[in-house]
Amino acid sequence: MQYPLPEILLLVLCVAICSADSIVEIAKLDEVKLDFLRTLLPYKNGISSHDKIGILLASIDHRQFNETFIKYTNEVL
């Protein structure tokens, strides 16, 4: 896979924390923060385009993701 799902989700989470309001802002912030992101995951192929990120996010079942994310964070914390 050219852009692994964990890399995309980490990017989205990080820029959401930084108050990005749109997919386009995600794409802009990734250029600035790629070095930081690479300390967490490889990002061998850089960052996907904002169009592809948007398509991926639109395809996720948000309720299931929310439930899974909350369960995961409760287990980690």
Side-chain angles (χ1 to χ4, degrees), residues 1-12 41-48 52-53 56-57 60:
M1 176 179 275
Q2 187 174 6
Y3 301 105
L5 182 60
E7 291 181 357
I8 294 171
L9 293 177
L10 177 62
L11 169 67
V12 171
L41 292 174
Y43 288 89
K44 181 176 75 174
N45 296 313
I47 303 297
S48 178
K52 290 181 183 177
I53 293 171
L56 172 74
L57 293 177
I60 293 174

Side-chain angles (χ1 to χ4, degrees), residues 10-76:
L10 177 62
L11 169 67
V12 171
L13 177 63
C14 287
V15 297
I17 291 169
C18 294
S19 301
D21 293 328
S22 71
I23 300 298
V24 174
E25 287 184 31
I26 290 172
K28 289 179 183 175
L29 285 173
D30 74 330
E31 297 166 6
V32 176
K33 304 297 182 190
L34 187 55
D35 289 338
F36 167 73
L37 292 170
R38 284 186 169 147
T39 66
L40 304 170
L41 292 174
Y43 288 89
K44 181 176 75 174
N45 296 313
I47 303 297
S48 178
S49 71
H50 70 276
D51 292 331
K52 290 181 183 177
I53 293 171
I55 291 167
L56 172 74
L57 293 177
S59 70
I60 293 174
D61 179 336
H62 293 95
R63 286 189 183 125
Q64 181 64 42
F65 180 83
N66 186 50
E67 291 173 13
T68 303
F69 186 75
I70 289 170
K71 181 179 177 185
Y72 170 76
T73 55
N74 285 335
E75 290 175 2
V76 171

